[in-house]
Amino acid sequence: MGGAAPIVAQGLNHYFGLGEARKQAIWDLNLTIKRGTLTILMGPSGSGKTTVLTLMGCLRDVQEGRVDLLGHPLRGATEAELVQLRRRLGFIFQAHNLHESLTAAQNVLMGLQVHGAGDAVKQRHAAAHMLGLLGLADRMDYLPANLSGGQKQRVAVARALVSNPEVIFADEPTAALDKESGRVVVDMLKTLGQTRGTTTVMVTHDNRIMDLADRIITLEEGRVVKDTNP
Amino acid sequence: MNRLLTWLFGRLPIGWLQLSHSRTRLIAAVAGVAFANLLVFMQLGIMGALNNSTVAPYALIDGDIILSSSEGNTLTDSGNIARAYMFQALGVAGVASGIPLYIGNLPLTLADGSSISLLSFGVDISQTQFVAPVIAPALAGLALENTVLLDKDTRSMPAEALASLATGSSFTFEANGKTLTAVGSMAVGGGFLADGMMVTSDQTFLRFFGSRRSGAPDHILLRVVDGVSSATVVDRLRAELPAGIVKVQTMPEARAADLAFMATERPTGIIFGFGVFMGILVGLVIVYQVLSTDVADHLREYATFKAMGYDQPFFLGIVFEEALILAVFGFIPGLIVSMGLYAGLNVVTGLPVVMDSARAALVFVGTLAACSASGAIATRRLAAADPADLF
Ligand SMILES: Nc1ncnc2c1ncn2[C@@H]1O[C@H](COP(=O)(O)OP(=O)(O)OP(=O)(O)O)[C@@H](O)[C@H]1O
Ligand SMILES: [Mg+2]
């Protein structure tokens, strides 16, 4: 892998709707994101942040232009290739999206079992360790319904990080967290970048964490208007 | 349960966790499957009893080939066939022996005033190779006029009298104003056809059925020469005898044809077949409803799993896991309740409604198949789980 950029976007355009209603959301986006960095996407509502994130995270088909993720061009990739790629990524959504029927530990296990059954004992330990790091050691066997909003979000973070993803995409992951645990999560992402070379792209409005970013990209109406390395 | 399923699937048993999480849905679904099973079991039970009583008479007679009128439907619902064809058949190479078989329903009034009917078989008692081996030794006792072998499961007959037959004593009863003496017994059971059965000599038979002629029996039974295949002889007989008048079948063929006739030509068979179909349909609809609602309720979670890199087989696996659980959980109570109802039906009607393992296995496999089919249809909703909508 070395220093090759995990994410490269070139001449990326994206449109929503059909016919009269067709509307361009992303205009000629060109971006190269370096390995092991924490990049923050910001901009007003409707500026295209989420759209960019889903395009780079192979959750949405690339219509025009080019996105290379971990060395693989996403446009024209088969569903099977996309599935394989997704297993190397971690997603943290604004809503926790935990499975209501699974306990905290089982939800985290789902992040591991996507790679196969593996060693059940090892997997349980990994899940427990990750939940412990996020301060949830005593909530392992709770169903989401019995957890607070912040706790649920931290379980979701644990689920995304437990499989050591190469790239993490997060959309306002700290919105549901108090200042303290928000900071813990972002610190963690930052540390992962430095120790394991994990690359993080995060959408956030949270000023409290801007200082941790390696790069801040500002979008407006689907275009990059500012790109800084603080 | 969790541990077992985890071991079974090599992953967390999401389907089971999902189902057991919404208890009411699980209970409703299991009850639905159990009810569908019950419907199917009851239809099959009664149909089985009908089939049993259709072919029960075959347990009395024996032979390799049976000649019947081509206008007849079954063994006991047949037209007459000219005895002359028996002589013609005896001239065909490979035919060793033959007898005319007379069948009739004898009404009789019992001491208590109730009336029953006996399905009566008149046979040539000198040719024991044409009756079942268990009753063959008793044929000699029928040489006396007006003697019969009586079915010891005959409905409404005095039980002590029937029981006394086994110990060698005989008893008399009246039919059509004439007196019959039961000199021995056999076990067949009445079923749908009659309240009981009896075997007599052809002479006695013709005396009691005054309108019947010895030249026009119901069927002709044939034995083939040892070492010759019945099929070969059937072919020769078909070539020899007029096709539009005489139906030539081996005994197993005739038996199978009777079953097919009852299942497809008689309203009862069709009604029960329809009942089975309805039961399956009810099961399909209930399971489909439950599974597709369950899929719809978890679209967001499934979309999340998709984003995490789970592929289509994984989601199909969840739905099939649920289908499997519903099938197993619904089948067990369905089977137990059905067995209870079978026993009740047996006591009330005397019909041979019994559960056999082949039927249970068949219904179980059918339940698995129906649940899987419902699951397969329900998975179409999975396509709506789009991870791009998650953010
Ligand atoms: N599925 C969709 N169908 C149609 N238009 C869409 C869809 N998703 C996004 N858009 C449009 O594309 C533009 C960019 O939306 P996007 O969600 O990327 O913005 P955003 O920067 O994430 O906003 P927010 O801060 O509110 O989350 C908006 O004008 C939005 O209305
Ligand atoms: Mg957004």
Side-chain angles (χ1 to χ4, degrees), chain B residues 288-300:
Chain B
Y288 168 73
Q289 196 55 41
V290 166
L291 291 184
S292 69
T293 317
D294 193 68
V295 169
D297 283 357
H298 291 97
L299 278 184
R300 219 182 150 73

Side-chain angles (χ1 to χ4, degrees), chain B residues 85-302:
Chain B
Y85 293 120
M86 180 179 87
F87 300 117
Q88 201 177 338
L90 287 172
V92 170
V95 176
S97 56
I99 61 161
L101 174 67
Y102 304 90
I103 302 175
N105 238 330
L106 185 69
L108 81 155
T109 309
L110 296 173
D112 64 359
S114 64
S115 51
I116 61 169
S117 72
L118 289 176
L119 188 60
S120 313
F121 294 82
V123 297
D124 180 344
I125 57 172
S126 65
Q127 303 212 48
T128 55
Q129 73 270 34
F130 289 106
V131 295
V134 284
I135 60 169
L139 282 194
L142 299 179
L144 282 176
E145 227 167 56
N146 299 350
T147 53
V148 304
L149 296 181
L150 197 60
D151 183 359
K152 70 178 170 59
D153 294 330
T154 301
R155 275 182 217 129
S156 316
M157 271 278 181
E160 354 33 291
L162 286 170
S164 71
L165 286 176
T167 64
S169 42
S170 59
F171 74 95
T172 58
F173 58 99
E174 240 191 64
N176 277 359
K178 300 187 183 88
T179 303
L180 281 171
T181 306
V183 294
S185 67
M186 62 211 183
V188 193
F192 282 91
L193 291 172
D195 298 300
M197 298 192 199
M198 67 177 204
V199 175
T200 71
S201 69
D202 39 16
Q203 297 308 313
T204 301
F205 183 94
L206 292 167
R207 192 163 304 126
F208 272 80
F209 293 89
S211 61
R212 296 294 301 273
R213 295 284 160 262
S214 60
D218 293 86
H219 303 276
I220 292 163
L221 301 180
L222 300 176
R223 279 288 188 188
V224 298
V225 175
D226 273 351
V228 179
S229 91
S230 302
T232 317
V233 180
V234 163
D235 288 341
R236 287 185 202 148
L237 287 166
R238 282 185 184 149
E240 182 75 16
L241 301 169
I245 299 173
V246 181
K247 187 162 58 180
V248 183
Q249 299 173 100
T250 64
M251 216 51 139
E253 278 169 3
R255 197 173 180 279
D258 283 10
L259 284 177
F261 177 82
M262 293 307 277
T264 59
E265 308 270 328
R266 276 278 178 262
T268 43
I270 295 166
I271 286 167
F272 290 128
F274 188 68
V276 170
F277 174 74
M278 288 307 288
I280 294 171
L281 203 66
V282 166
L284 275 175
V285 169
I286 291 174
V287 174
Y288 168 73
Q289 196 55 41
V290 166
L291 291 184
S292 69
T293 317
D294 193 68
V295 169
D297 283 357
H298 291 97
L299 278 184
R300 219 182 150 73
E301 283 99 330
Y302 291 165

Side-chain angles (χ1 to χ4, degrees), chain A residues 50 53-54 59-60 79 82-84 86-89 91-102 105-118 143 159 169-171, chain B residues 2 6 9-22 25 294 297-298 300-315 318 322 386-391:
Chain A
T50 299
L53 210 60
T54 50
L59 298 180
R60 200 183 279 293
E79 184 59 29
L82 292 179
V83 164
Q84 287 308 321
R86 283 179 196 145
R87 293 184 181 172
R88 298 166 65 185
L89 312 177
F91 291 99
I92 306 169
F93 309 98
Q94 194 167 1
H96 56 82
N97 292 332
L98 296 180
H99 195 304
E100 51 157 16
S101 316
L102 307 184
Q106 288 171 333
N107 266 292
V108 176
L109 270 181
M110 289 305 293
L112 284 174
Q113 293 195 343
V114 71
H115 301 285
L143 287 174
R159 177 179 61 186
F169 295 100
D171 200 341
Chain B
N2 263 346
T6 306
F9 297 117
R11 59 162 168 81
L12 282 174
I14 317 275
W16 164 245
L17 292 169
Q18 245 167 244
L19 278 176
S20 56
H21 189 77
S22 34
R25 181 176 298 165
D294 193 68
D297 283 357
H298 291 97
R300 219 182 150 73
E301 283 99 330
Y302 291 165
T304 309
F305 289 151
K306 250 187 212 179
M308 287 162 66
Y310 283 96
D311 52 6
Q312 193 66 6
F314 167 80
F315 299 106
I318 295 180
E322 293 185 324
D386 182 0
D389 297 335
L390 284 173
F391 286 106

Side-chain angles (χ1 to χ4, degrees), chain A residues 128-179:
Chain A
H129 176 70
M130 194 43 98
L131 284 169
L133 285 183
L134 287 153
L136 292 166
D138 56 344
R139 292 289 184 275
M140 300 250 300
D141 297 319
Y142 281 50
L143 287 174
N146 301 324
L147 296 173
S148 73
Q151 288 169 335
K152 280 187 268 206
Q153 186 61 355
R154 279 182 281 156
V155 174
V157 172
R159 177 179 61 186
L161 301 188
V162 72
S163 60
N164 290 324
E166 292 166 56
V167 184
I168 294 166
F169 295 100
D171 200 341
E172 310 213 26
T174 57
L177 298 177
D178 58 60
K179 186 171 176 194

Side-chain angles (χ1 to χ4, degrees), chain A residues 64-86:
Chain A
E64 234 177 76
R66 182 180 177 101
V67 176
D68 289 358
L69 178 66
L70 295 166
H72 296 266
L74 294 185
R75 195 157 150 209
T78 64
E79 184 59 29
E81 288 167 346
L82 292 179
V83 164
Q84 287 308 321
L85 267 178
R86 283 179 196 145

